[in-house]
Amino acid sequence: METLSSATGAVLERIRAALPEAAFQAETAAFLEEPRGRWRGQGVVVSPASVDEVSALMAVCHAARVPVVPYSGGTGLVGGQLSESGAVPVVLSLARMARIRAVHADENVIEVDAGVILADVQRAAADVGRLFPLSLASEGSARIGGLMATNAGGLNVIRYGNARAQCLGLEVVLADGTIWNGMSRLRKDNTGYDLRDLMIGSEGTLGIITGASLRMMPRPAEEATAMFVVPSPRAAVSLLGVAGARLGEVISGFELIHRQGFDFLDETGLSYHAPFAQTPEWSVLMKVGMGAGSDPTDALAGVFEAAGELVLDGVIAQSQQQADNLWTIREMIPEGNRRIGSVSSHDISVPISCVPEFIDRAPALLAEIDTFRINCFGHLGDGNLHYNVFPMPGKTRADHEHQRDAVKTTVHDLAASLGGSVSAEHGIGRLKVGDLETYADPAKLTMMRAIKQALDPRGILNPGAVLRA
């Protein structure tokens, strides 16, 4: 493969000639830093407003062998949206592609540009009495293209699935500027390879997602939220079984929270409404949504009664405000983590029945490296844990920088030994390329590299992300 060229000089002139002046904006820190401040990127920011403009940009970059790094909402935590070294890339911002193209309420389908912010899709669905169920802490800034490109998860996966499950079709610009119009509204289409699923989760390494045809769902007529105190993660898994047996698929959230999350909120001055007089060691935040005529509050009370010794205490929200207060706790935990500053953060998944074993074994293994605080929380309903390791009071993550790789390896080795994944919902980006090489099946890597070579033979699409450049 020939060396990639930087987006400078004559190449920039060709890009400017191909696009209107409005596509060019100043380079700002927002496009060149990731949320935790661990890396700083480089690049020339270009913001097309249509699929045709993206196509024109890609054609120039392909001909000149200039790398292109797609930039969606910038909320990714694995470095997929920036390039620190090598040839200076074009940073392709989706911010100006922010149009709701069409809403087909009778079909439960909404068609959007890739740059539409998730919260805006949720509102557009609500306006026609529907639900777009993808929900995560960054929904006020995360954009649809990035969410599809990373196959994002979030709070509702237990009931509705991750981003892949919400998508019917995509519009994608390939490396050479070719436009693939796959904006299907069909539920059933067996005409060959599923290119939609190939692009979802590819993190901009196979094509630039410019549009998406998304599924909307019926909006639950009645919802209720409860927080239950449980004696252990093992009890939490058993509680999930009890709840599932009683309620079926109406459970839309089942989050495990350790007391360290509450302690970090207190330590960093983040305000919340404490649901219990004493902070529990372990708790579960549960949400259900049911049809008209049902009483989800009674349903949660029934779970509490049926759980027996699995639940030590509980509170069931009696108003929407009380429910919001409970969910605010969960949504603020990542901000508390950010303010403390982790030694190493991990987005892992293991089979649900193995979650207790992972939580039991990991602290002792980490103690062989040093003394740490651990904030373990996450989507127990789908086996996804955010297992984050922090310095003790009086120390900072800089004091443990030399141990970060050892901490990460310890956590990832344990997850892999239990049949888990080192990337549950945040993707591979550039941060976890080595981890993918270490833990992935060799045949899978061979197939991935073959696909990358076929669709991006010049290696210009987000080079260094997912697969080593």
Side-chain angles (χ1 to χ4, degrees):
M1 182 184 298
E2 294 187 26
T3 302
L4 293 177
S5 304
S6 290
T8 57
V11 175
L12 280 180
E13 290 302 315
R14 290 200 292 274
I15 293 174
R16 288 190 175 277
L19 299 174
E21 186 60 32
F24 301 91
Q25 57 191 69
E27 297 168 20
T28 66
F31 291 102
L32 302 178
E33 287 186 2
E34 56 92 43
R36 291 181 296 199
R38 285 194 178 275
W39 310 288
R40 181 168 179 80
Q42 58 176 349
V44 177
V45 180
V46 182
S47 186
S50 68
V51 63
D52 290 331
E53 290 184 13
V54 175
S55 174
L57 172 64
M58 291 306 304
V60 173
C61 292
H62 184 262
R65 285 187 163 81
V66 169
V68 176
V69 176
Y71 190 97
S72 192
T75 60
L77 300 176
V78 291
Q81 71 272 41
L82 54 82
S83 177
E84 284 191 292
S85 59
V88 176
V90 166
V91 176
L92 195 168
S93 167
L94 295 169
R96 295 179 66 234
M97 295 189 65
R99 182 170 56 96
I100 303 288
R101 299 186 184 183
V103 178
H104 306 277
D106 291 342
E107 299 177 19
N108 285 328
V109 176
I110 181 170
E111 296 178 288
V112 302
D113 282 352
V116 177
I117 291 172
L118 172 56
D120 292 336
V121 179
Q122 294 168 339
R123 280 191 287 269
D127 287 344
V128 293
R130 304 296 192 274
L131 173 72
F132 184 65
L134 189 63
S135 178
L136 56 161
S138 61
E139 60 194 32
S141 53
R143 300 180 187 274
I144 289 298
L147 293 167
M148 294 298 135
T150 56
N151 192 28
L155 300 174
N156 290 331
V157 171
I158 183 175
R159 180 170 185 175
Y160 297 106
N162 53 18
R164 187 184 306 279
Q166 317 307 325
C167 185
L168 293 172
L170 293 173
E171 176 185 80
V172 178
V173 178
L174 303 181
D176 64 356
T178 299
I179 299 171
W180 169 52
N181 182 10
M183 289 283 285
S184 173
R185 300 181 349 233
L186 300 176
R187 261 71 171 180
K188 302 175 88 172
D189 181 3
N190 278 332
T191 53
Y193 303 139
D194 195 329
L195 302 180
R196 171 202 59 187
D197 273 357
L198 182 62
M199 292 296 168
I200 294 174
S202 66
E203 302 186 45
T205 63
L206 301 179
I208 308 296
I209 295 173
T210 54
S213 178
L214 305 171
R215 298 173 65 207
M216 299 185 293
M217 307 297 288
R219 181 171 290 277
E222 305 289 343
E223 294 182 315
T225 292
M227 182 173 278
F228 297 129
V229 178
V230 293
S232 67
R234 195 168 302 280
V237 171
S238 297
L239 176 62
L240 176 63
V242 170
R246 287 184 65 89
L247 304 180
E249 296 185 352
V250 304
I251 303 170
S252 54
F254 200 91
E255 299 289 303
L256 182 68
I257 302 175
H258 184 245
R259 72 164 296 142
Q260 190 66 71
F262 289 92
D263 291 345
F264 281 173
L265 298 183
D266 294 335
E267 185 176 335
T268 58
L270 290 168
S271 177
Y272 65 96
H273 295 270
F276 305 104
Q278 292 186 326
T279 302
E281 188 70 15
W282 290 101
S283 57
V284 165
L285 184 59
M286 182 177 171
K287 182 178 181 180
V288 296
M290 306 177 77
S294 302
D295 190 333
T297 301
D298 280 353
L300 288 173
V303 171
F304 181 86
E305 293 171 2
E309 295 181 354
L310 297 175
V311 175
L312 304 177
D313 197 1
V315 57
I316 299 175
Q318 299 301 307
S319 68
Q320 185 59 50
Q321 184 59 60
Q322 290 181 4
D324 291 344
N325 290 343
L326 291 174
W327 280 103
T328 294
I329 294 170
R330 168 61 181 84
E331 291 164 0
M332 286 198 309
I333 288 175
E335 176 60 19
N337 287 351
R338 188 190 67 80
R339 294 188 182 190
I340 295 292
S342 70
V343 176
S344 185
S345 298
H346 313 97
D347 163 44
I348 60 100
S349 64
V350 295
I352 294 172
S353 63
C354 295
V355 167
E357 181 180 354
F358 178 91
I359 293 175
D360 286 346
R361 291 174 57 188
L365 296 173
L366 291 169
E368 296 176 7
I369 301 172
D370 208 333
T371 304
F372 301 104
R373 291 181 289 179
I374 297 168
N375 190 8
C376 174
F377 67 102
H379 320 302
L380 183 62
D382 53 52
N384 175 197
L385 293 178
H386 300 299
Y387 196 85
N388 301 335
V389 180
F390 295 84
M392 297 297 290
K395 290 190 173 184
T396 69
R397 71 185 187 187
D399 297 320
H400 297 281
E401 189 64 27
H402 63 292
Q403 298 169 322
R404 189 156 67 93
D405 286 345
V407 169
K408 182 185 75 168
T409 299
T410 296
V411 173
H412 286 176
D413 281 353
L414 179 57
S417 74
L418 295 172
S421 168
V422 301
S423 178
E425 63 178 358
H426 288 166
I428 297 298
R430 290 172 176 79
L431 177 64
K432 295 185 178 181
V433 170
D435 295 313
L436 181 65
E437 294 171 344
T438 298
Y439 299 106
D441 183 277
K444 175 179 179 176
L445 285 172
T446 297
M447 294 165 69
M448 288 175 64
R449 289 168 181 145
I451 294 167
K452 171 70 170 174
Q453 177 62 27
L455 294 183
D456 183 22
R458 297 188 175 183
I460 68 168
L461 284 169
N462 215 3
V466 183
L467 297 171
R468 198 173 299 279

